[in-house]
Amino acid sequence: MDNRQVIGSWLSGPRAAAEEMGADFGHRGQRLGLPQEGPGSVAPLGRRFGALFIDWAACMLIAYGLFARGDQQSAGNWALGVFLVLSVVTVTTVGSTPGKRICGLRVIAEDGSRLGAGRVLLRTVLLLLVIPALVWDRDSRGLHDRLSRAVQVRI
């Protein structure tokens, strides 16, 4: 077997190379018992980024208007705190942030139940650190979701 096939190309990645060689990984969320498509399936990355953008923009506006007193640099710092509070309160109570709701997403525990406040806090703090959110598994869950035993799904 050619090593180039095993490693995959820089365009397609190792997963695509393994699938070409016959490996079956199943659909995203299959290991978690989630459907392949429709409500309850793993949220696509585009919607998740869109929801994060909406939430961050709202937090920046709130921080700039209420706390920063016109200072753009401090607005970014205040926005982190606003995002933390917004995420913990809304995900704990209704299961999604305003951006996630607009994009048709919610955050649930791996077993399908609602996340408790402690797990939501852990997830949000890891998300604010950014790096854990950039490390994904084959179900497209970031490290922040894996460590808090959460999954983002379509509504």
Side-chain angles (χ1 to χ4, degrees):
M1 182 173 303
D2 187 6
N3 282 340
R4 289 176 291 175
Q5 285 180 321
V6 175
I7 295 172
S9 77
W10 66 276
L11 289 174
S12 61
R15 178 182 175 136
E19 287 174 344
E20 285 177 12
M21 293 179 357
D24 181 22
F25 293 108
H27 65 272
R28 291 179 308 132
Q30 183 173 359
R31 295 182 307 154
L32 301 169
L34 300 174
Q36 184 170 358
E37 293 183 11
S41 63
V42 173
L45 292 176
R47 282 193 194 185
R48 289 166 42 191
F49 284 129
L52 183 62
F53 177 79
I54 292 168
D55 289 334
W56 184 251
C59 290
M60 283 295 289
L61 285 172
I62 292 168
Y64 188 77
L66 295 179
F67 303 111
R69 297 189 179 115
D71 182 13
Q72 281 187 330
Q73 194 154 17
S74 69
N77 294 333
W78 280 105
L80 290 171
V82 172
F83 186 85
L84 178 74
V85 171
L86 174 82
S87 292
V88 171
V89 169
T90 58
V91 173
T92 301
T93 57
V94 295
S96 62
T97 61
K100 287 186 189 326
R101 182 62 64 170
I102 289 169
C103 292
L105 307 176
R106 68 184 168 135
V107 180
I108 60 172
E110 290 175 338
D111 63 5
S113 64
R114 181 171 284 161
L115 286 178
R119 286 170 54 188
V120 173
L121 179 63
L122 171 65
R123 181 185 180 278
T124 305
V125 167
L126 290 171
L127 180 61
L128 289 174
L129 293 175
V130 178
I131 299 299
L134 298 177
V135 179
W136 298 332
D137 66 3
R138 71 181 195 199
D139 292 318
S140 297
R141 291 191 311 157
L143 189 57
H144 65 296
D145 281 331
R146 286 196 54 135
L147 292 174
S148 62
R149 297 187 322 271
V151 61
Q152 294 183 63
V153 296
R154 295 177 184 169
I155 296 177

